[in-house]
């Protein structure tokens, strides 16, 4: 029998690419066009089934799948059987999830446990919010919404803006005036969301947005009080358990509005209930001292911390967080701003991982527990929730670039020797 002619799909398979159909709205259904993908793999475009009938190209122009060598297909497709049903045409993804779990040998030595860092700064908008936002925005599209709204200390706003742009929806973000980190504000502006600054804190902004959803009825709220956000964010727990081959003994993370600790615990419980594991980690949540309502047992009217992302005085998912801690035999404690910045510096300088201040609260908490002889044992994961580049001011406030030197070799050597006398 004559050998079958090789197709683009065969080439893709040979290179271990996932073969998926790509729909390109600007191409005619009959076009024999090819799409050039990253790493020079060619895949034919084929019409995808749409509501308009089999073989027709969707006129909605929404289906833009993400193509990568492996994984990174987005959490909705990756964990389809563990997430709420969303029709394919409504999925708005940027290839979120599948973030690295990085071993941290130097901090492990200080803590006395084997520490891994789940670096959520590697998501498309550089924070864990993308996992939940893909589900919330896709659902908003499926439900026929044309606008979304959120309150934010910055990261939710950045993620909502990006996923709304992707989905073609209008996005309103309500933020405390002058209080969100520079990188996050820039993201919102770049994605073209409507930014509303209020003379009030995050908690006031969230109340306003909840009322907007309730009273206006035309705009979907995409904060973590929306259960779709929690569903998406729980996928990080699945990834941790899959990568390690089992759930860790403990998981440390920062706590602000408390959606993420709620989501991780839901994920680990579902993983165990599905029979993939027979254990679940102790959940160790850490709040910034000046914004630690769950530790103090009462809301904070004026929360204050250098970690602007977790400057929250009345966490919406208080019940979920306290449930996670008590059911898992974990704890929720506070760390000072100094401890947070020290942990941020240590992560960047000794492990090479640059996260934003709030993201370092989990590691700050582990270091504090170790100093007090209470560190968890075994395999421990610290979730680094967002990338350090989001908040450049925190670093620039502590250090600055040196004065320029003459552009000569002598000046270079002299400068190097001043820094490191051994340098030649
Ligand atoms: C970078 C970062 N880390 C941690 C948190 C806390 O997450 P959660 O509000 O889900 O507790 C947030 C947002 O609140 C955040 O933006
Ligand atoms: N840190 C958050 C606060 C809002 O949290 P959410 O998860 O309830 O949307 C932010 O980035 O705005």
């Amino acid at each position: 029998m004559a050998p079958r002619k090789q197709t683009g799909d065969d080439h893709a398979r040979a290179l271990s690419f996932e073969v998926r159909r790509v729909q390109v709205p600007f191409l005619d259904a009959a076009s024999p066009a090819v799409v050039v993908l990253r790493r020079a793999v060619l895949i034919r475009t084929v019409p995808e089934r749409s509501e308009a009938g089999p073989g027709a190209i969707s006129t909605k122009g929404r289906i833009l799948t993400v193509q990568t060598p492996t994984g990174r297909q987005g959490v909705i497709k990756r964990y389809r059987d563990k997430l709420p049903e969303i029709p394919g045409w409504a999925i708005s993804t940027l290839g979120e999830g599948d973030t690295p779990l990085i071993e941290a040998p130097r901090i492990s030595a200080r803590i006395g446990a084997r520490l891994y860092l789940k670096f959520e700064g590697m998501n498309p908008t550089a924070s864990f919010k993308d996992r939940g936002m893909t589900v919330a925005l896709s659902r908003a599209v499926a439900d026929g919404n044309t606008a979304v709204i959120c309150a934010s200390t910055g990261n939710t706003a950045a993620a909502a803006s990006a996923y709304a742009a992707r989905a073609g929806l209008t996005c309103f973000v309500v933020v405390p005036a002058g209080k969100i980190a520079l990188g996050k504000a820039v993201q919102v502006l770049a994605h073209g969301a409507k930014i509303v600054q209020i003379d009030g804190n995050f908690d006031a902004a969230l109340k306003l947005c909840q009322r907007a959803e309730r009273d206006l009825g035309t705009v979907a709220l995409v904060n973590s009080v929306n259960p779709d956000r929690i569903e998406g964010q729980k996928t990080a727990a699945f990834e941790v358990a899959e990568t390690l081959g089992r759930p860790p003994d403990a998981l440390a993370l920062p706590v602000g509005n408390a959606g993420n600790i709620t989501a991780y615990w839901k994920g680990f419980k579902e993983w165990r209930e599905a029979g993939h594991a027979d254990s679940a980690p102790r959940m160790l949540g850490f709040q910034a001292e000046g914004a630690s309502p769950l530790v103090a047992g009462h809301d904070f009217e004026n929360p204050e911390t250098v970690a602007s992302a977790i400057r929250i005085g009345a966490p919406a998912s208080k019940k979920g967080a306290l449930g996670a801690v008590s059911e898992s035999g974990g704890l929720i404690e506070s760390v000072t701003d100094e401890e947070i910045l020290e942990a941020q510096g240590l992560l960047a300088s000794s492990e090479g991982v640059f996260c934003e201040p709030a993201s370092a609260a989990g590691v700050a908490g582990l270091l504090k527990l170790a100093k007090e002889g209470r560190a968890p044992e075994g395999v421990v994961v610290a979730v680094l929730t967002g990338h350090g580049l989001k908040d450049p001011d925190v670093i620039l406030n502590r250090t600055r670039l040196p004065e320029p030197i003459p552009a000569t070799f002598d000046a270079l050597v002299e400068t190097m020797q001043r820094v490191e006398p051994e340098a030649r």
Side-chain angles (χ1 to χ4, degrees):
M1 199 168 65
R4 190 170 61 85
K5 196 165 170 279
Q6 294 274 298
T7 67
D9 287 1
D10 294 325
H11 293 306
R13 269 188 213 103
L15 289 166
S16 314
F17 273 64
E18 270 190 46
V19 180
R20 247 170 291 134
R21 302 292 170 196
V22 194
Q23 189 174 44
V24 184
F26 48 83
L27 290 178
D28 183 71
S31 167
V34 291
V35 179
V36 182
L37 298 175
R38 280 205 296 155
R39 305 222 186 151
V41 171
L42 306 180
I43 295 183
R44 280 174 297 112
T45 58
V46 291
E48 190 164 306
R49 279 173 188 275
S50 81
E51 286 179 331
I57 292 280
S58 164
T59 51
K60 292 186 175 152
R62 282 198 210 284
I63 306 175
L64 281 167
T65 57
V66 173
Q67 300 289 322
T68 57
T70 55
R72 297 229 113 178
Q73 52 190 310
V75 298
I76 297 178
K77 288 191 177 161
R78 183 160 175 206
Y79 295 109
R80 204 179 258 289
D81 58 329
K82 296 187 184 321
L83 292 175
E85 184 90 30
I86 293 174
W89 61 265
I91 294 175
S92 173
T93 180
L94 290 163
E96 59 293 322
D98 205 11
T99 54
L101 195 61
I102 304 168
E103 190 156 10
R106 297 190 183 88
I107 303 182
S108 291
R110 290 183 184 226
I111 292 171
R114 189 158 189 181
L115 178 69
Y116 291 86
L117 310 168
K118 181 69 173 161
F119 191 25
E120 290 289 279
M122 297 300 283
N123 273 300
T125 77
S127 90
F128 70 98
K129 307 281 181 177
D130 296 347
R131 292 177 183 276
M133 213 51 87
T134 181
V135 181
L137 259 295
S138 301
R139 164 79 64 207
V141 170
D143 290 349
N145 287 104
T146 53
V148 295
I149 191 166
C150 66
S152 187
T153 55
N155 281 326
T156 290
S161 307
Y163 282 80
R166 180 82 176 158
L169 267 57
T170 303
C171 180
F172 297 95
V173 310
V174 184
V175 301
K179 299 285 188 185
I180 70 171
L182 181 65
K184 304 173 191 182
V186 169
Q187 285 180 287
V188 173
L189 295 174
H191 291 302
K194 319 277 177 241
I195 189 160
V196 181
Q197 299 207 75
I198 61 161
D199 291 326
N201 60 23
F202 168 82
D203 306 295
L206 182 58
K207 279 196 191 114
L208 288 173
C209 292
Q210 286 174 306
R211 177 145 186 215
E213 181 184 53
R214 199 175 55 237
D215 291 4
L216 303 179
T218 52
V219 58
L221 181 64
V222 293
N223 278 104
S224 60
V225 288
N226 176 336
D228 289 328
R229 281 277 313 278
I230 303 293
E231 289 299 309
Q233 284 172 215
K234 78 182 180 190
T235 59
F238 302 158
E239 285 179 18
V240 167
E242 275 178 330
T243 311
L244 291 174
R246 68 170 178 93
D249 297 297
L251 183 117
L253 78 175
V255 176
N257 211 22
N260 213 28
I261 190 169
T262 304
Y264 266 95
W265 182 236
K266 187 170 195 287
F268 284 122
K269 276 196 303 187
E270 287 181 9
W271 198 250
R272 188 176 55 189
E273 279 154 21
H276 302 311
D278 52 18
S279 66
R282 291 177 64 211
M283 302 296 292
L284 313 177
F286 294 96
Q287 298 201 288
E289 195 173 77
S292 54
L294 298 178
V295 183
H298 59 79
D299 289 352
F300 279 34
E301 208 168 310
N302 295 306
E304 208 32 86
T305 167
V306 67
S308 60
I310 51 174
R311 198 180 284 143
I312 294 173
S317 295
K318 184 188 302 181
K319 216 170 127 204
L322 298 177
V325 168
S326 68
E327 288 170 27
S328 71
L331 53 80
I332 187 141
E333 296 196 6
S334 65
V335 283
T336 63
D337 279 3
E338 210 182 339
E339 288 167 330
I340 288 174
L341 294 177
E342 210 178 297
Q344 184 195 24
L346 194 63
L347 281 160
S349 63
S350 76
E351 302 291 1
V353 183
F354 184 29
C355 67
E356 66 170 289
S359 306
V363 170
L366 291 172
L367 291 166
K368 178 181 152 178
L369 294 182
K371 270 189 205 141
E372 297 168 0
R374 300 189 289 136
E377 290 176 356
V379 173
V380 178
V381 168
V383 185
L384 305 187
T385 44
H387 203 286
L389 287 172
K390 293 228 177 209
D391 196 351
D393 291 334
V394 165
I395 304 297
L396 292 172
N397 287 343
R398 281 185 285 159
T399 181
R400 60 187 171 87
L401 287 169
E403 292 304 316
I405 60 165
T408 66
F409 185 64
D410 284 351
L412 172 65
V413 172
E414 198 257 321
T415 306
M416 288 168 71
Q417 284 176 338
R418 235 184 301 132
V419 176
E420 173 55 78
E422 302 292 294
R424 293 278 178 275

